[in-house]
Amino acid sequence: MNADGRFAPSPTGELHLGNLRTALLAWLFARSQGARFLVRIEDLDSGRVRERYVAEQLDDLRAIGLDWDGEPVRQSERKRLYAEALERLQREGLVYPCFCSRREIREAASAQHGEDAELVYPGTCARLAPAEARRRTAAGEPHALRLRAEGAVVTAVDRLHGEVTRAVDDIVLVRRDGAFAYNLAVVVDDAEQGIGEIVRGDDLLSSTPRQALLCDLLGYPRPSWAHVPLVLGPDGQRLAKRHGAVTLRDLTALGMSPRQVTAWLARSLGLAEPGEEPSPRELLARFDPARLPREPWVLEPPEPPA
Ligand code: GLU
């Protein structure tokens, strides 16, 4: 099996302990199998990306003892690849313009599925007559481009979660602002970079059937997936800045060394004992995916144990 792995942060903020823990795990999965490990900077969302985080995130990964093969690639420099993939889908008649606003989509989705519905696109613009869609596009009406998924029900297999099946909605490929959407870019990059196993936070588990469908339609071999548990704040919510000292910078300011942070992460994964400070390399021999905790790690205040 191809076990080449990657970590693909978005430079929209500092990495927190949850991101660092996922990065450590992705590194352990790849390196324990003697595979390549790549870093990819997912910087397509130009409104939210801040350049300083690119360097800071790489510094943090290095500081906790991770290494990677080659220079990190940046999605903003790979738009030609996404454009080519989009054209392939267009040639197959699998792409249509969508003129709906977010509000319209929310209203239509909740009318169909009730208030709690996940934001699933109900396919309004898929039913527009082609001439009508062309007229509105030519008139310069703002629009996204969506995949004609035709209600495909897709099963993806995850190493930790087993089979995940869902009906794929007509996902956005190009956003209204012209940016290539995450789901398209991630599938193209993972395939083009030869990634065999995608290790990432389990908040992305539900997107996996969508990405599996895109892989199939683009003729890429599917990678395998391992979605790892998230880190939660003491209130049970997904870890965030408001939970206090959660970044490497915060923790070093409190007197913790990066090595102690790595050890803390390792303890949370059952890979180290209190008092030990193993490097990621020293964790390789202890790492067994089958014994990973399946539950989120709930960070307890007071924060770092000494
Ligand atoms: N860039 C995404 C994020 O930071 C991760 C994408 C992925 O791992 O597939 O949430």
Side-chain angles (χ1 to χ4, degrees):
M1 180 192 118
N2 168 12
D4 287 348
R6 48 68 160 186
F7 181 61
S10 304
T12 54
E14 281 178 70
L15 298 176
H16 57 51
L17 281 169
N19 309 124
L20 294 173
R21 189 173 185 254
T22 299
L24 173 62
L25 281 169
W27 185 93
L28 286 168
F29 268 86
R31 295 298 199 212
S32 65
Q33 300 175 78
R36 289 187 310 149
F37 180 69
L38 308 182
V39 172
R40 181 172 70 235
I41 295 155
E42 302 213 320
D43 60 349
L44 287 177
D45 190 351
S46 55
R48 294 178 57 227
V49 165
R50 296 289 170 268
E51 195 53 37
R52 71 182 175 96
Y53 294 128
V54 174
E56 280 186 26
Q57 293 185 340
L58 295 176
D59 285 346
D60 287 357
L61 296 176
R62 260 184 232 108
I64 63 162
L66 305 187
D67 64 352
W68 47 89
D69 295 294
E71 284 298 309
V73 301
R74 298 182 64 140
Q75 288 191 322
S76 57
E77 293 167 359
R78 296 165 64 81
K79 293 182 186 165
R80 195 180 44 82
L81 292 172
Y82 317 136
E84 280 167 13
L86 178 72
E87 269 171 42
R88 269 164 42 214
L89 297 171
Q90 280 172 320
R91 278 201 297 274
E92 307 274 326
L94 291 170
V95 180
Y96 66 88
C98 168
F99 305 93
C100 297
S101 67
R102 252 192 112 66
R103 206 187 81 219
E104 286 164 340
I105 298 170
R106 210 169 14 247
E107 283 169 4
S110 69
Q112 271 186 10
H113 305 284
E115 273 310 318
D116 298 332
E118 192 192 347
L119 206 54
V120 166
Y121 184 61
T124 319
C125 289
R127 296 183 287 273
L128 282 180
E132 164 83 354
R134 272 197 300 277
R135 185 188 60 72
R136 291 173 70 175
T137 312
E141 200 175 320
H143 60 274
L145 295 179
R146 287 185 182 272
L147 176 73
R148 207 176 276 286
E150 287 170 337
V153 176
V154 177
T155 299
V157 183
D158 181 278
R159 196 208 270 239
L160 303 174
H161 295 261
E163 290 190 354
V164 190
T165 302
R166 72 177 282 179
V168 175
D169 60 329
D170 288 359
I171 50 173
V172 171
L173 301 171
V174 179
R175 303 181 341 181
R176 234 172 207 271
D177 64 4
F180 288 104
Y182 158 69
N183 282 304
L184 177 65
V186 83
V187 165
V188 171
D189 279 335
D190 285 329
E192 297 287 342
Q193 295 190 281
I195 301 302
E197 184 158 55
I198 294 174
V199 177
R200 60 186 178 190
D202 63 15
D203 51 332
L204 288 167
L205 184 64
S206 67
S207 286
T208 304
R210 294 168 163 162
Q211 295 172 13
L213 176 64
L214 268 180
C215 266
D216 297 351
L217 294 173
L218 287 166
Y220 297 135
R222 288 192 190 187
S224 60
W225 289 276
H227 286 86
V228 298
L230 296 182
V231 179
L232 307 180
D235 57 359
Q237 300 296 311
R238 196 188 298 184
L239 195 66
K241 204 84 190 120
R242 69 190 151 76
H243 288 117
V246 295
T247 68
L248 193 59
R249 217 157 307 268
D250 299 336
L251 294 164
T252 46
L254 291 177
M256 255 182 127
S257 68
R259 188 76 178 235
Q260 286 173 316
V261 174
T262 307
W264 190 21
L265 296 174
R267 280 198 297 281
S268 81
L269 294 166
L271 295 173
E273 299 296 329
E276 280 190 293
E277 286 181 17
S279 69
R281 219 151 263 294
E282 288 163 331
L283 297 176
L284 287 174
R286 309 177 184 182
F287 179 65
D288 176 1
R291 293 176 54 195
L292 275 181
R294 299 304 175 101
E295 298 301 317
W297 179 36
V298 183
L299 214 56
E300 292 296 340
E303 275 168 344

